[in-house]
Structures are given as structure tokens and as C-alpha cells.
Amino acid sequence: MSEFNQPIGGNDLARFSGPNTFMRLPQAQALDGLDVAVLGVPMDIGTSWRSGTRFGPKQIRAESAMIRPYNMATGAAPFDSLQIADIGDLAINTFSLAESLRIIKESYDAILTHDVIPVAMGGDHSITLPILRAIAAKHGPVALVHVDAHADVNDQMFGERETHGTVFRRAYEEGLIQPDKTYQIGIRGSGYAATDFTEAQGWGFQHFPAWELWHRSLKPLGDEIRRDIGDRPVYVTYDIDSLDPAYAPGTGTPEIGGLTTPQALELIHALKGLNIVGCDLVEVSPPYDTSGNTALTAANLLYELICVLPGVTAR
Ligand code: MN
Ligand code: MN
């Protein structure tokens, strides 16, 4: 018997049975003794186009039931050395975005009084701003690996300053991130002006547009980013729309010409060794995910992110 929580195995209890927790891990009420807390933020009131990410955590958990504990490609065995549990969903207020962001910040403040790495399942990308506020309050300004079709650096949308498209401008303005250690990977699509990305580059953000990454391995880029960050605390925010809609159609603002699933795996694998203090995966919209592949991919990318957290051993 391991001293660490184990996912329920598919040979012990039918995969379509059991608790709807991430990988069918135990659901924890208390954070004491946990190294990693997986949680849901079921929210879609920060979106600008298609809705549905409120159903993201439930569906990611459902699709995660097929994931096995050992990583065949990297050797990572996260459940050998870390105590990991699903702590459920944050009790957001679906009638108020501002109130929900406040609840997320306060919930993260409470979570981060423990020595635990939070791994969030979104939810739309607006959840990442209050998360970064709490992360920075604990760790100071963090390096940021931001994988997304969009830079999310608008100043406002309909006059609103806190939406899923304004997150990283606010994070920059509030000093939550280290701008010259902020990497935006996979950005693409049509814009409003040729200068849409240049202002953020002026702050120091490093941009890796999808069209410069097509047909290429992302291992060299991941290795370069890992070396550049060094031992700084780093937050990883993964927008599922960074992937091409062929791989991840179930999302609110899809953009063609995106990254591939193997590229996503290469990038995440290269992050092993970083001092990751938290991560999220956002923008999975199950109503637009007719095959379930988007939630399945999201569940696996979350598993891969857990596999590169500090303290994970390999076999
Ligand atoms: Mn985004
Ligand atoms: Mn996006």
C-alpha cells in the first residue's frame, strides 16, 4: 500500500463508475498534508463569444477517468512521491463576474496558506487574474508560461477591465508577473491592428506566434524557456484554444492554424525542472465538444502538467 493517494485503477473499478474526481483521486475536504490540490473553477461569465466553460471541470473530470498513473513517455510517477487530491469546485457566484473573481482570490489565499501547489480546471481565462493575485501575494511576481491562441492583453472589453481577454495586461499592470519572463506561445489569428501584440512586447513579453512554430518540435523552445526562467517561481496557464480546433474544437474562441497535441506534450515535457508554483487549464467548453476530445485532451494535459511539478520522481 502506498502512503500516497492513488487514482482508482481501471482494472479495480470500471472506468465509468466511481467518483467524478480528477483521475478518480480521493476528494479532500482539508488541505493538510497535500502537496498538490486539483480544483475546479466552473465559470463562463468572463467569455466574449461562445459560453459553456462552466461545464469544463465536470467534463474534464469525467474524461480523466481513463488516465493511468504512470507516464510511459517520460517515466514520471507523480503518485509515487506527491500527495494529490481533488478538492472540488470553488463556490463562484454565477450572477457576478466581479464577485466570482473576488471569491477565487480569497479561496486561493486560503489554499496558499498551505504548502500546496494548486492545479485549476477552468472555467474561462478570467479566472487566472485572481489566481495570479494570490500567487504573487505569496511568491512575489512570477515567471509566466502562457500557452494560448490569444495574448489576452486587451485594455478593456465593453468597458470592462476584468474579462478573459484582459488578464495579462492587468497582471502586468499590477506587477503580478515578471514581464521579461513572460512567454506567450501559440498566439495567432486575425487582429484589429498590426500593433495588437507590439505593446506587450514593449513591456518585455516574449511572443512565439503559432505560425513560427508550425511543423516544428517545441522541445528546443521549451528547453530555452526553462533555461531562461532558471529557478524563479513560475506559473503555467494553459488555454486549450492554443491547440488547433482539429484537436480541441470544444472551446469558446477557436482559431485555426494552432498547435498540435504532440507539440503540447513536447512543450510540457520540457518544463520539468522548473519551480512551478501553480498551473491552470482553461477554456474547455463541453457544449461545443461533441466528441469529448477537447475535455479528454485537457485532462491529459493537466496530468502531464502534474507530471512536471517539483518533487515528482521518475521510475
Ligand atoms: Mn486565453
Ligand atoms: Mn485563447
Side-chain angles (χ1 to χ4, degrees), residues 125 146-152 164 168 239 241 282-283:
H125 220 156
H146 172 205
V147 192
D148 200 327
H150 312 97
D152 295 346
H164 78 152
F168 301 102
D239 186 327
D241 71 27
V282 297
E283 299 284 354

Tab-separated table of all heavy atoms in Angstrom, residues 125 146-152 164 168 239 241 282-283, ligand 1:
chain	number	residue	atom	x	y	z
A	125	HIS	N	-10.795	32.060	-19.118
A	125	HIS	CA	-9.460	32.513	-18.721
A	125	HIS	C	-9.486	33.651	-17.709
A	125	HIS	O	-8.460	33.955	-17.102
A	125	HIS	CB	-8.635	32.903	-19.960
A	125	HIS	CG	-7.210	32.474	-19.867
A	125	HIS	ND1	-6.401	32.272	-20.967
A	125	HIS	CD2	-6.422	32.208	-18.796
A	125	HIS	CE1	-5.190	31.903	-20.562
A	125	HIS	NE2	-5.177	31.861	-19.252
A	146	HIS	N	2.547	31.082	-20.750
A	146	HIS	CA	1.155	31.293	-21.158
A	146	HIS	C	0.980	30.725	-22.565
A	146	HIS	O	1.468	31.299	-23.540
A	146	HIS	CB	0.856	32.801	-21.110
A	146	HIS	CG	-0.476	33.182	-21.695
A	146	HIS	ND1	-0.736	34.427	-22.211
A	146	HIS	CD2	-1.625	32.467	-21.844
A	146	HIS	CE1	-1.985	34.461	-22.654
A	146	HIS	NE2	-2.547	33.300	-22.451
A	147	VAL	N	0.279	29.603	-22.655
A	147	VAL	CA	0.059	28.937	-23.934
A	147	VAL	C	-1.375	29.225	-24.352
A	147	VAL	O	-2.319	28.903	-23.619
A	147	VAL	CB	0.313	27.417	-23.822
A	147	VAL	CG1	0.374	26.788	-25.204
A	147	VAL	CG2	1.587	27.134	-23.041
A	148	ASP	N	-1.546	29.843	-25.520
A	148	ASP	CA	-2.868	30.398	-25.854
A	148	ASP	C	-2.863	30.805	-27.331
A	148	ASP	O	-1.818	31.168	-27.886
A	148	ASP	CB	-3.105	31.641	-24.976
A	148	ASP	CG	-4.561	32.048	-24.835
A	148	ASP	OD1	-5.338	31.867	-25.789
A	148	ASP	OD2	-4.911	32.580	-23.769
A	149	ALA	N	-4.034	30.766	-27.962
A	149	ALA	CA	-4.161	31.377	-29.288
A	149	ALA	C	-4.178	32.893	-29.200
A	149	ALA	O	-3.965	33.585	-30.195
A	149	ALA	CB	-5.441	30.891	-29.969
A	150	HIS	N	-4.479	33.394	-28.000
A	150	HIS	CA	-4.689	34.832	-27.799
A	150	HIS	C	-3.730	35.365	-26.754
A	150	HIS	O	-3.384	34.656	-25.807
A	150	HIS	CB	-6.136	35.087	-27.345
A	150	HIS	CG	-7.157	34.383	-28.187
A	150	HIS	ND1	-7.708	33.180	-27.816
A	150	HIS	CD2	-7.670	34.689	-29.403
A	150	HIS	CE1	-8.554	32.775	-28.762
A	150	HIS	NE2	-8.553	33.666	-29.745
A	151	ALA	N	-3.323	36.629	-26.917
A	151	ALA	CA	-2.420	37.228	-25.925
A	151	ALA	C	-3.180	37.686	-24.685
A	151	ALA	O	-2.577	37.863	-23.625
A	151	ALA	CB	-1.665	38.397	-26.552
A	152	ASP	N	-4.493	37.880	-24.805
A	152	ASP	CA	-5.323	38.302	-23.658
A	152	ASP	C	-4.763	39.552	-22.981
A	152	ASP	O	-4.690	39.635	-21.759
A	152	ASP	CB	-5.469	37.153	-22.632
A	152	ASP	CG	-6.233	35.953	-23.195
A	152	ASP	OD1	-6.870	36.089	-24.254
A	152	ASP	OD2	-6.176	34.877	-22.566
A	164	HIS	N	-11.978	37.634	-19.886
A	164	HIS	CA	-11.000	36.619	-20.286
A	164	HIS	C	-10.004	37.152	-21.323
A	164	HIS	O	-9.015	36.473	-21.589
A	164	HIS	CB	-11.692	35.330	-20.748
A	164	HIS	CG	-12.263	35.360	-22.134
A	164	HIS	ND1	-12.391	34.222	-22.912
A	164	HIS	CD2	-12.758	36.382	-22.889
A	164	HIS	CE1	-12.934	34.544	-24.081
A	164	HIS	NE2	-13.164	35.827	-24.086
A	168	PHE	N	-3.784	39.441	-18.920
A	168	PHE	CA	-2.334	39.576	-18.767
A	168	PHE	C	-1.879	41.031	-18.841
A	168	PHE	O	-0.789	41.345	-18.384
A	168	PHE	CB	-1.621	38.624	-19.734
A	168	PHE	CG	-2.057	37.213	-19.436
A	168	PHE	CD1	-2.995	36.555	-20.235
A	168	PHE	CD2	-1.624	36.586	-18.279
A	168	PHE	CE1	-3.456	35.287	-19.899
A	168	PHE	CE2	-2.087	35.322	-17.925
A	168	PHE	CZ	-3.007	34.674	-18.745
A	239	ASP	N	-4.312	27.691	-22.036
A	239	ASP	CA	-5.610	27.875	-22.690
A	239	ASP	C	-5.734	26.800	-23.767
A	239	ASP	O	-4.900	26.716	-24.674
A	239	ASP	CB	-5.664	29.291	-23.283
A	239	ASP	CG	-7.020	29.664	-23.863
A	239	ASP	OD1	-7.724	28.775	-24.388
A	239	ASP	OD2	-7.361	30.865	-23.827
A	241	ASP	N	-7.446	26.604	-26.257
A	241	ASP	CA	-7.563	27.078	-27.646
A	241	ASP	C	-6.198	27.331	-28.297
A	241	ASP	O	-6.129	27.671	-29.478
A	241	ASP	CB	-8.493	28.284	-27.761
A	241	ASP	CG	-7.953	29.580	-27.170
A	241	ASP	OD1	-6.726	29.762	-27.098
A	241	ASP	OD2	-8.791	30.436	-26.800
A	282	VAL	N	-7.614	26.131	-19.006
A	282	VAL	CA	-8.863	26.887	-19.105
A	282	VAL	C	-9.491	26.775	-20.497
A	282	VAL	O	-8.858	26.306	-21.442
A	282	VAL	CB	-8.614	28.380	-18.782
A	282	VAL	CG1	-8.136	28.545	-17.344
A	282	VAL	CG2	-7.623	29.003	-19.749
A	283	GLU	N	-10.736	27.225	-20.573
A	283	GLU	CA	-11.471	27.446	-21.822
A	283	GLU	C	-12.011	26.185	-22.490
A	283	GLU	O	-12.338	26.194	-23.678
A	283	GLU	CB	-10.650	28.289	-22.825
A	283	GLU	CG	-10.287	29.690	-22.331
A	283	GLU	CD	-11.451	30.697	-22.366
A	283	GLU	OE1	-12.524	30.341	-22.880
A	283	GLU	OE2	-11.259	31.819	-21.853
B	1	MN	MN	-6.885	32.890	-23.061
